[in-house]
């Protein structure tokens, strides 16, 4: 049985719990990736991050990304979880874990998943800086850039996204 689980959470990620469903005696490799909140970006001192997410679309697209990786890399399992809300320095923002018969498949599958999550999921990141105003970052690089207000700076609120998708 192939394991495929994508989740969103506003609570701290616990890797020791996340990887357990991936245990498989057919697997020759397990690879995981943790994206951490770091204290700097582009020469600025970062004090915290805030993620805003459109849950229904993010969950659907996250499951699709995992299914693609399982098919492309013959994975035995793939689990990914992304935080939302405010995160402090050192916290895990995103976790990806995969199992496969061989290490090459596992490394490639994990890399594919995190790259696609960062590119395709409707998750917006705001960085808080020391002695500078907070800003939403990397928005123009993402597939969901068109979901932004005309000035491209502030992501639409969840209620606005929901009403936009209704009609």
């Amino acid at each position: 049985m192939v394991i495929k689980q994508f989740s969103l959470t506003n609570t701290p990620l616990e890797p020791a719990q996340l990887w357990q469903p991936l245990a498989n005696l057919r697997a020759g490799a397990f690879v995981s990736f943790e994206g951490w909140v770091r204290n700097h970006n582009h020469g600025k001192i970062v004090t915290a991050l805030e993620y805003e997410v459109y849950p229904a679309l993010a969950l659907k697209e996250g499951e699709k990304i995992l299914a693609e990786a399982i098919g492309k890399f013959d994975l035995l399992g793939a689990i990914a979880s992304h935080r939302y809300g405010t995160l402090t320095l050192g916290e895990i923002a995103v976790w990806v874990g995969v199992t496969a018969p061989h290490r090459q498949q596992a490394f490639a599958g994990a890399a594919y998943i995190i790259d696609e999550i960062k590119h395709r999921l409707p998750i917006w990141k705001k960085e808080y800086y020391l002695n500078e105003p907070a800003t939403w970052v990397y928005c123009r690089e993402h597939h969901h850039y068109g979901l932004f207000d005309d000035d491209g700076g502030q992501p639409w609120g969840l209620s606005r996204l929901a009403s936009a998708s209704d009609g």
Side-chain angles (χ1 to χ4, degrees), residues 38-86:
R38 64 179 181 245
N39 68 357
H40 68 282
N41 192 31
H42 296 292
K44 296 179 181 181
I45 298 172
V46 175
T47 59
L49 295 182
E50 178 184 344
Y51 288 97
E52 185 171 321
V53 61
Y54 180 35
L57 186 55
L59 289 168
K60 182 178 177 181
E61 194 67 15
E63 289 288 333
K64 185 176 175 185
I65 290 166
L66 297 183
E68 290 169 5
I70 288 166
K72 286 179 185 251
F73 304 103
D74 195 29
L75 301 178
L76 298 172
I79 295 176
S81 188
H82 203 297
R83 289 281 306 272
Y84 62 91
T86 302

Side-chain angles (χ1 to χ4, degrees), residues 36-41 44-52 83-91 93 124-138:
W36 298 342
V37 179
R38 64 179 181 245
N39 68 357
H40 68 282
N41 192 31
K44 296 179 181 181
I45 298 172
V46 175
T47 59
L49 295 182
E50 178 184 344
Y51 288 97
E52 185 171 321
R83 289 281 306 272
Y84 62 91
T86 302
L87 284 71
T88 60
L89 296 178
E91 286 193 89
W124 297 271
K125 179 170 74 172
K126 186 175 193 177
E127 288 184 341
Y128 290 86
Y129 306 110
L130 184 66
N131 302 322
E132 295 187 44
T135 58
W136 295 97
V137 295
Y138 304 127

Side-chain angles (χ1 to χ4, degrees), residues 8 20 33 51-52 61 67 75 90 99 101 109 119 123 135 140:
L8 300 167
Q20 288 178 357
F33 169 83
Y51 288 97
E52 185 171 321
E61 194 67 15
L75 301 178
T99 51
H119 180 70
I123 297 176
T135 58
R140 295 185 197 283

Side-chain angles (χ1 to χ4, degrees), residues 4-14 17-19 21 53-66 78-84 92-97 113 117 121 123:
K4 177 176 64 87
Q5 298 173 2
F6 181 83
S7 63
L8 300 167
T9 183
N10 63 353
T11 61
L13 296 172
E14 299 291 340
Q17 294 173 355
L18 288 167
W19 73 263
V53 61
Y54 180 35
L57 186 55
L59 289 168
K60 182 178 177 181
E61 194 67 15
E63 289 288 333
K64 185 176 175 185
I65 290 166
L66 297 183
I79 295 176
S81 188
H82 203 297
R83 289 281 306 272
Y84 62 91
I92 301 171
V94 60
W95 187 90
V96 174
I113 291 168
I117 284 173
L121 260 55
I123 297 176

Side-chain angles (χ1 to χ4, degrees), residues 17-33:
Q17 294 173 355
L18 288 167
W19 73 263
Q20 288 178 357
L22 292 169
N24 185 328
L25 295 178
R26 297 181 316 150
F30 165 74
V31 169
S32 67
F33 169 83

